[in-house]
Amino acid sequence: MNATISTPTDREIRIERVFNAPRDRVWKAFTDPAMVAQWWGRGNKLVIERMEVERGGHWRYVEHGPDGVHGFEGRYREVKPPERLVLTFEWDGMPGYVAVETATFEDLGDGRTKVVNTSLFHTTAERDGMLRSGMEQGLNESYAALDRLLARLG
Amino acid sequence: MNATISTPTDREIRIERVFNAPRDRVWKAFTDPAMVAQWWGRGNKLVIERMEVERGGHWRYVEHGPDGVHGFEGRYREVKPPERLVLTFEWDGMPGYVAVETATFEDLGDGRTKVVNTSLFHTTAERDGMLRSGMEQGLNESYAALDRLLARLG
């Protein structure tokens, strides 16, 4: 099952994906460092250097993949369990290019949860650079790893 | 002498100011921590916790003013001495709201330097919030302190 990706405006990317697990479990998988370490890196070693899940807190992940070491970081703007998470996102490879990610977690009432993640960029060029970066494949690999984690937790 | 402030687009603030000092000295005043500590805080104590002036480096200043303690931070996107500096800017009071600041330093050829600082926000509301924050007064106080520092260095 692939995520549905769209571009609602010229500076946004919207990603929609349904997970076969209740909302509290999906929320935990996104906000508990021990959980994130098991899926975000798609099987690559992920070092969570910092993850302060509260308004104003910082996060920083370092992924050790076959093509090298990649750092990612940002800061939490809004944390409203179990339904809404807003944070900034920046990749070390393009420092100072910051997107704002808003994730909403919707209880579908049948034991499943819909996650909608909308990223807002400063410019259309930055948004298009992200679309061309292989983001979609990486995302689907991450979410497949998350499916497996949620099934193990079930 | 006040800075000239304008809004070239609906998500930008442009600030123009001429300093009575050669470009190398103005560049140093913006990029050397010992110099920044003497003007950025407008007379308030300024603790420079981090200031790695290179692409990808981080900065973090904490200002101790009569109305409390305020942290500011960001990351350098581009450092091209002595003419161009691009960095992100975020205030702890609104974490996750990130502007990109592009500063250019123009040698006017008569011993003076023109600094143009353009800030790009994710939304017009964020830009307007910054305009209403008392930014203009604070900025003019900072630049007046910088005038005095540059004169002492001359």
Side-chain angles (χ1 to χ4, degrees):
Chain A
M1 177 171 52
N2 283 339
T4 303
I5 300 185
S6 60
T7 50
T9 70
D10 65 358
R11 291 192 290 119
E12 287 178 300
I13 301 173
R14 183 182 188 278
I15 298 161
E16 185 178 315
R17 176 65 146 76
V18 173
F19 295 96
N20 190 24
R23 182 162 70 166
D24 284 343
R25 197 186 303 160
V26 176
W27 174 265
K28 190 174 179 195
F30 274 82
T31 54
D32 180 324
M35 301 284 121
V36 171
Q38 293 179 64
W39 66 270
W40 204 90
R42 307 162 291 146
N44 293 327
K45 179 184 169 190
L46 187 76
V47 177
I48 298 190
E49 293 189 346
R50 207 170 172 184
M51 190 173 169
E52 306 146 359
V53 188
E54 58 184 352
R55 181 174 178 274
H58 295 78
W59 66 274
R60 181 171 170 82
Y61 305 162
V62 179
E63 183 178 358
H64 296 253
D67 66 335
V69 176
H70 292 284
F72 303 87
E73 63 180 48
R75 199 166 182 185
Y76 297 96
R77 186 196 281 199
E78 195 181 333
V79 178
K80 190 179 175 188
E83 61 192 60
R84 188 176 159 87
L85 191 62
V86 186
L87 49 81
T88 57
F89 177 95
E90 187 175 352
W91 168 49
D92 283 356
M94 287 189 64
Y97 292 82
V98 180
V100 179
E101 293 195 0
T102 301
T104 58
F105 301 75
E106 184 189 349
D107 180 351
L108 294 181
D110 58 1
R112 297 183 307 152
T113 304
K114 184 197 284 186
V115 177
V116 177
N117 197 320
T118 304
S119 295
L120 175 64
F121 297 81
H122 273 111
T123 66
T124 302
E126 290 171 38
R127 192 274 309 265
D128 291 347
M130 175 64 89
L131 286 171
R132 283 192 305 267
S133 71
M135 174 206 80
E136 185 166 358
Q137 185 189 340
L139 177 78
N140 282 318
E141 291 172 1
S142 289
Y143 281 173
L146 177 52
D147 282 335
R148 294 189 293 273
L149 173 65
L150 291 168
R152 284 200 302 277
L153 296 174
Chain B
M1 176 170 53
N2 284 338
T4 303
I5 300 185
S6 61
T7 50
T9 70
D10 65 358
R11 291 192 289 119
E12 286 178 301
I13 301 173
R14 182 182 188 277
I15 297 161
E16 185 178 316
R17 175 67 144 77
V18 174
F19 294 96
N20 190 23
R23 182 162 71 167
D24 283 344
R25 197 186 303 159
V26 176
W27 173 265
K28 189 174 180 197
F30 274 82
T31 55
D32 180 323
M35 300 284 121
V36 170
Q38 293 180 62
W39 67 269
W40 205 90
R42 307 163 290 145
N44 292 325
K45 178 184 168 190
L46 187 76
V47 178
I48 298 189
E49 293 188 348
R50 206 171 172 183
M51 189 173 168
E52 306 145 358
V53 187
E54 59 183 351
R55 180 173 178 274
H58 295 77
W59 66 274
R60 181 171 170 80
Y61 304 162
V62 179
E63 183 178 358
H64 296 253
D67 66 335
V69 176
H70 292 285
F72 303 87
E73 63 180 48
R75 198 167 183 185
Y76 296 96
R77 185 195 282 200
E78 195 182 332
V79 178
K80 189 179 176 189
E83 62 194 60
R84 187 176 158 88
L85 192 62
V86 186
L87 49 81
T88 56
F89 178 96
E90 187 175 354
W91 168 50
D92 282 356
M94 289 190 62
Y97 292 83
V98 180
V100 179
E101 292 195 0
T102 300
T104 58
F105 300 76
E106 183 189 348
D107 180 352
L108 293 182
D110 57 1
R112 297 183 308 152
T113 304
K114 184 196 283 184
V115 177
V116 177
N117 197 320
T118 305
S119 295
L120 175 64
F121 298 80
H122 274 110
T123 66
T124 302
E126 289 171 38
R127 193 276 308 265
D128 291 348
M130 176 63 89
L131 287 171
R132 283 191 307 265
S133 71
M135 174 205 79
E136 185 166 358
Q137 186 189 338
L139 178 78
N140 282 320
E141 290 171 1
S142 290
Y143 281 174
L146 176 52
D147 283 334
R148 293 190 293 272
L149 172 65
L150 292 169
R152 285 200 303 277
L153 295 174

